Amino acid sequence: MPTMPKNKRAPWMPAPAPAWTHRNRWPGYKLNKWKEASAQFKILNPLCSTPGCNGATHSTDHKRPISDGVDPWDQSNWQALCYDCHKKKTVDDRTRAQRRPGKG
Ligand SMILES: [Zn+2]
């Protein structure tokens, strides 16, 4: 009886899930604990924390990115950001991480 080679996907099977685009994505974002804490934070902070922006809060952001090794649950490191400011900060964080020089 012929079988499919293991590394080949049968045509009727769904395509594999795409890889994360954000390589440092913290797995805690998937937890209900985070979703609830973030929703609460956004209720308390309905406006973007960028000075002069005043956009509606879209995301709970970590001021210092988690990839820096900070505690993700430390709310003193949280800030409310609107969609545009969060997008911009994410790009800035990634750019900074790429530019970060070696230790020393
Ligand atoms: Zn904003």
Side-chain angles (χ1 to χ4, degrees), residues 89-102:
K89 178 171 181 294
T90 304
V91 171
D92 286 351
D93 283 349
R94 266 185 247 175
T95 308
R96 200 170 54 90
Q98 280 160 10
R99 275 204 213 116
R100 191 179 294 163

Side-chain angles (χ1 to χ4, degrees), residues 48 50 53 55 82 85:
C48 179
T50 302
C53 175
C82 72
C85 291

Side-chain angles (χ1 to χ4, degrees), residues 3-94:
T3 53
M4 295 285 289
K6 275 202 175 125
N7 62 347
K8 202 153 195 255
R9 184 168 55 87
W12 61 85
M13 289 176 75
W20 291 114
T21 48
H22 191 330
R23 282 159 66 198
N24 287 330
R25 193 173 166 82
W26 173 49
Y29 286 131
K30 283 187 277 187
L31 299 176
N32 283 335
K33 185 186 169 189
W34 167 260
K35 289 174 189 167
E36 284 162 20
S38 172
Q40 193 79 41
F41 186 79
K42 286 188 274 190
I43 289 167
L44 296 172
N45 301 275
L47 293 180
C48 179
S49 61
T50 302
C53 175
N54 289 328
T57 292
H58 176 267
S59 309
T60 303
D61 179 66
H62 293 95
K63 292 182 211 169
R64 271 190 72 190
I66 301 169
S67 51
D68 272 14
V70 297
D71 176 10
W73 301 103
D74 177 8
Q75 293 205 16
S76 67
N77 189 42
W78 293 7
Q79 63 182 346
L81 289 181
C82 72
Y83 182 82
D84 285 342
C85 291
H86 187 235
K87 199 167 69 174
K88 185 175 176 301
K89 178 171 181 294
T90 304
V91 171
D92 286 351
D93 283 349
R94 266 185 247 175

